[in-house]
């Protein structure tokens, strides 16, 4: 523990929440490592971590900032809305199920799109799952008011529950409804499987020293640019990504077995039971579910390093305060969970697109084409973030991946029963 403490002390001299991208992302990893070490003293850990927990309103505001200032949620919402609009072209009664919205903006846009539909709008019912009742009440009020102003027959069905606790009867799907499902950055939190969860967190001192020492060495070589850092240190990660994305001649993804049956798999099978005409999912393009702690640490460092670099590149200096809020409450919390937690406490468990494809196929879904109109619109959204060699859109096997330079960050795909 003494040597670990020494390494963290050295790291603190090189990191800064107000520095360049690698300094800022390293600050959050340093906090995660310190929290991991403090868990040896549960009382001290709880006392120091409680004051840092953001309120529900702070989390909602942070997600709104994420939507307004970054292209990632715009990318997802555009794909979801256009895919639903095309799938429901001739439907008279439409039921949209959102697995965890915390704001109304996506569905306000959908209402506007439906109001101009040829033949008139359908009767629309929107179900949103969220464990915060006050958030659902606010969304319901905003959507009801907007639907009334557009003269769209509308019902709002709030489900106050955690996603893992939802049962099929809670969705109240009715005969004759055409169902659509939106799953944006929700499913990865349900990937833990207790039967396959290893004891990688047992030797805390050894993992702490290895992780802190590796990060310290990287930070001490400050003469390298961030891009050079990722080119040199991230080559193995990108090689793994290419191997994980490999397909055989039939287009079926070739990869290893999944890590058992998770709550995400159970939820997908339940959703298959309501026969959605379309379901669009978006998840982070990283491998942080299985494997040992060091593999997860390195993967997360490169993934969030690219995200922090994208924030630096796409948000001008006048948005420094907003960027700091995003990094602290959204990405910083995720980093802390990945680095400091194990077992059921660790909910940030991203998997890459090929593994999601396999899970969806095993649940009984078949891939559906993404909307051509959404592809055009997404390209326009990314082009509006005028950053040299910045955001890129990769289309492969009917799926879309938004990248920062050459690093895949988020992938989206459409499915049907």
């Amino acid at each position: 523990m003494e040597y670990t403490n020494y390494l963290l002390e050295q790291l603190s001299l090189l990191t800064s929440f107000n520095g360049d991208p690698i300094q800022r992302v390293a600050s959050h990893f340093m906090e995660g490592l310190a929290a991991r070490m403090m868990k040896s003293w549960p009382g001290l850990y709880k006392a120091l971590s409680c004051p840092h927990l953001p309120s529900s309103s702070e989390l909602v505001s942070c997600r709104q900032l994420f939507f307004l200032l970054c292209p990632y949620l715009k990318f997802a919402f555009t794909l979801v809305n256009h895919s639903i609009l095309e799938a429901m072209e001739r439907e008279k009664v439409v039921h949209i199920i959102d697995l965890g919205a915390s704001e109304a903006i996506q569905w306000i846009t959908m209402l506007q799109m439906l109001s101009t539909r040829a033949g008139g709008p359908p009767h629309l019912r929107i179900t949103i799952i969220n464990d915060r009742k006050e958030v659902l009440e606010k969304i319901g009020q905003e959507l009801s008011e907007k639907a009334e102003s557009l003269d769209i027959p509308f019902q709002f069905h709030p489900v106050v529950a955690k996603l893992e606790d939802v049962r099929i009867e809670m969705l109240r799907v009715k005969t004759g409804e055409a169902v659509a499902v939106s799953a944006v950055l929700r499913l990865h939190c349900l990937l833990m499987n207790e039967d396959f969860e290893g004891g990688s967190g047992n030797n805390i001192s050894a993992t702490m020293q290895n992780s802190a020492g590796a990060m310290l060495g990287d930070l001490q070589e400050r003469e390298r640019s961030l891009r050079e850092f990722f080119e040199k240190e991230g080559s193995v990660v990108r090689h793994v990504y290419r191997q994980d994305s490999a397909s055989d001649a039939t287009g079926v993804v070739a990869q290893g077995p999944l890590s058992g049956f998770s709550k995400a798999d159970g939820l997908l099978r339940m959703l298959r039971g309501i026969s959605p005409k379309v379901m669009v999912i978006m998840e982070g393009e990283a491998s942080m579910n299985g494997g040992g702690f060091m593999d997860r640490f390195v993967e997360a460092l490169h993934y969030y390093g690219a995200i922090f670099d994208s924030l630096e590149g796409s948000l001008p200096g006048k948005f420094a305060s907003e960027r700091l809020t995003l990094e602290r409450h959204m990405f910083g919390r995720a980093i802390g969970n990945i680095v400091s937690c194990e077992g059921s406490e660790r909910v940030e468990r991203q998997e890459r697109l090929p593994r999601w494809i396999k899970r969806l196929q095993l649940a009984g879904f078949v891939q559906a084409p993404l909307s051509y109109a959404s592809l055009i619109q997404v390209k326009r959204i990314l082009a509006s973030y005028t950053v040299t060699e910045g955001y890129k859109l990769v289309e492969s096997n009917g799926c879309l991946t938004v990248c920062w330079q050459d690093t895949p960050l988020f992938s989206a795909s459409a499915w049907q029963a």
Side-chain angles (χ1 to χ4, degrees):
M1 281 294 185
E2 287 185 12
Y3 183 58
T4 303
N5 182 66
Y6 166 77
L7 290 174
L8 288 175
E9 186 177 7
Q10 294 301 304
L11 276 173
S12 68
L13 301 176
L14 299 171
T15 60
S16 170
F17 289 113
N18 296 304
D20 61 25
I22 190 60
Q23 285 180 307
R24 298 200 308 271
V25 76
S27 296
H28 292 286
F29 277 86
M30 183 183 69
E31 279 196 345
L33 289 170
R36 189 180 182 93
M37 186 169 70
M38 279 196 301
K39 285 190 173 183
S40 299
W41 298 279
L44 178 63
Y45 171 74
K46 291 179 181 178
L48 292 177
S49 61
C50 284
H52 298 292
L53 295 176
S55 65
S56 295
S57 60
E58 285 177 323
L59 290 176
V60 171
S61 297
C62 189
R63 192 171 171 88
Q64 290 172 342
L65 271 179
F66 188 39
F67 173 80
L68 292 171
L69 301 179
C70 304
Y72 307 120
L73 286 183
K74 293 186 182 78
F75 163 77
F77 293 169
T78 299
L79 290 177
V80 171
N81 286 358
H82 279 278
S83 296
I84 292 176
L85 195 67
E86 289 190 8
M88 305 298 177
E89 186 177 5
R90 294 181 177 85
E91 298 294 342
K92 300 299 183 183
V93 183
V94 175
H95 186 178
I96 298 173
I97 299 171
D98 190 318
L99 301 188
S102 56
E103 62 282 315
I105 188 166
Q106 176 184 3
W107 303 121
I108 285 177
T109 303
M110 172 59 78
L111 287 167
Q112 292 168 335
M113 295 167 72
L114 288 173
S115 69
T116 60
R117 192 180 76 159
H123 183 286
L124 178 65
R125 190 149 69 103
I126 294 181
T127 293
I128 296 181
I129 301 163
N130 197 305
D131 62 351
R132 299 191 298 274
K133 183 179 179 181
E134 69 278 7
V135 170
L136 290 173
E137 288 175 345
K138 184 174 185 295
I139 294 174
Q141 181 180 354
E142 291 179 18
L143 293 181
S144 297
E145 291 174 356
K146 187 65 177 179
E148 184 177 0
S149 70
L150 295 172
D151 198 25
I152 296 177
F154 176 74
Q155 288 181 305
F156 180 68
H157 175 221
V159 177
V160 184
K162 292 183 177 180
L163 189 55
E164 60 264 35
D165 296 330
V166 172
R167 300 293 176 262
I168 194 167
E169 60 272 11
M170 298 167 70
L171 303 177
R172 297 183 186 175
V173 176
K174 300 176 182 177
T175 303
E177 290 182 334
V179 178
V181 178
S182 172
V184 176
L185 301 178
R186 298 300 174 189
L187 296 175
H188 70 273
C189 294
L190 304 181
L191 282 175
M192 198 210 70
N193 180 271
E194 294 179 358
D195 295 335
F196 286 80
E197 185 70 15
S200 58
N202 294 335
N203 193 346
I204 293 178
S205 181
T207 56
M208 284 282 296
Q209 291 176 17
N210 291 336
S211 305
M215 192 160 64
L216 178 60
D218 290 327
L219 285 168
Q220 286 174 331
E221 297 183 44
R222 291 306 313 278
E223 69 276 5
R224 289 185 293 169
S225 69
L226 183 65
R227 185 171 181 178
E228 289 170 338
F229 173 84
F230 285 115
E231 286 176 351
K232 180 177 184 294
E233 307 295 344
S235 59
V236 175
V237 176
R238 285 197 296 273
H239 174 71
V240 171
Y241 173 78
R242 287 194 293 269
Q243 293 296 315
D244 215 18
S245 302
S247 300
D248 62 22
T250 63
V252 178
V253 177
Q255 58 184 351
L258 299 175
S259 56
F261 189 86
S262 67
K263 290 181 179 180
D265 297 305
L267 178 63
L268 289 174
R269 283 159 173 74
M270 184 189 76
L271 293 172
R272 169 63 181 83
I274 60 176
S275 301
K277 288 197 70 175
V278 65
M279 178 172 73
V280 182
I281 73 165
M282 184 183 90
E283 288 293 347
E285 194 62 19
S287 181
M288 290 180 273
N289 184 21
F293 173 78
M294 274 303 296
D295 292 337
R296 185 170 83 235
F297 182 91
V298 172
E299 174 86 344
L301 181 60
H302 292 292
Y303 179 75
Y304 286 102
I307 287 181
F308 276 51
D309 193 30
S310 76
L311 295 177
E312 177 84 2
S314 57
L315 298 181
K318 65 179 181 179
F319 291 112
S321 176
E322 289 84 355
R323 186 187 64 212
L324 187 64
T325 299
L326 271 180
E327 291 174 351
R328 162 64 69 182
H329 291 309
M330 180 166 285
F331 302 117
R333 291 179 72 239
I335 291 169
N337 184 264
I338 291 164
V339 174
S340 68
C341 296
E342 296 291 347
S344 60
E345 286 187 338
R346 182 163 66 87
V347 296
E348 295 295 334
R349 294 174 171 269
Q350 289 86 348
E351 289 186 339
R352 294 195 182 94
L353 179 60
R355 301 187 75 79
W356 282 114
I357 290 175
K358 193 166 187 177
R359 289 185 186 279
L360 285 152
Q361 289 172 341
L362 289 173
F365 286 93
V366 294
Q367 199 167 346
L370 286 166
S371 159
Y372 178 75
S374 68
L375 178 60
I376 300 300
Q377 188 63 26
V378 164
K379 288 181 177 179
R380 289 175 181 167
I381 290 171
L382 294 181
S384 68
Y385 289 80
T386 52
V387 183
T388 303
E389 296 183 357
Y391 295 107
K392 297 179 181 179
L393 192 65
V394 176
E395 187 177 5
S396 178
N397 296 324
C399 306
L400 287 178
T401 300
V402 60
C403 307
W404 173 253
Q405 297 176 357
D406 293 324
T407 303
L409 294 181
F410 296 95
S411 289
S413 56
W415 300 83
Q416 59 191 20

